[in-house]
Amino acid sequence: MIPNDSDTQTWAIDLANFSGPLDVLLHLIQTQDLDIFDIPIAEITAQYIDLIHANPIEELTLAGDYLVMAATLIEIKTKMLLPKPPKTEQDDTDDPRRPLVEQLLAYQQYKALGQTLSEKHDERLLSYERPSADLVVYQQTIPLQAGEIATEDMIAALQQMIQRLNPNVPKPRTIQNDTYSVSEAIEDIEQTLATKPHENVSLFGMTRKRAWTRHTVVTLFLATLQLVKGRAITIVQDAPYSDIYINQRKKETAS
């Protein structure tokens, strides 16, 4: 039920408890069980303006938002007082309250969603995760056999290879599509090793056979790892961060 003009002065609402003018309007509508699709705009406007007068707002930006809504309500109220044209089937679209109703409905949905997320957050605070276990005591350091290299050594050698090649290559002026595939790199490695079956082949030297790009180096590196995984080649490195050499793996003879 809408209070009369004299009752509007008795509304005790602190605007600091609301997030903005739409929140205040929605509160006025809900607490009085009004139909949001048929807002009594004159009464709501009077209540809203009384609330603004009763609650001075010091923050200019927020005060501006409330004043803009007040001006909007007064404009809607004015349009509602103008003579209405003959009724047609499209009367609802001509209702000056329609844009405000759409804003209130959208805000109502966002507010309900925010309330749901807040409840989920509160529920989440009531649960506790088990801290991750310390597995350091189970770690083992397995020494490498003679001639073997670790993955970290290969990555370090690859980075040094890129640094050695990069300064000698001019920066490309146009972006080109790299088409060098891992399968092509594997074929290049196998052909090179076939011509030198008993020699160590420098992976760094193989990068010079093609136009150098970072893509070429990485592709050759991936092809090398693929061949090592397939036990087709072996890798040799004389010292940490030095060049990587590859050679054909000797075929194991049945005992």
Side-chain angles (χ1 to χ4, degrees), residues 154 181-187 189-190 193 203 217-235 246-247 249:
M154 293 187 64
S181 64
V182 174
S183 59
E184 291 175 335
I186 290 176
E187 184 178 352
I189 294 174
E190 290 177 340
L193 292 178
L203 188 62
V217 176
V218 174
T219 303
L220 277 170
F221 186 73
L222 293 176
T224 303
L225 295 179
Q226 187 69 25
L227 289 171
V228 171
K229 180 180 179 181
R231 302 182 65 82
I233 65 173
T234 57
I235 297 177
I246 56 179
N247 55 39
R249 176 181 287 273

Side-chain angles (χ1 to χ4, degrees), residues 3-24:
N4 55 39
D5 292 341
S6 61
D7 293 334
T8 57
Q9 303 293 338
T10 64
W11 283 80
I13 296 178
D14 187 0
L15 293 183
N17 297 327
F18 297 90
S19 59
L22 287 175
D23 200 17
V24 173

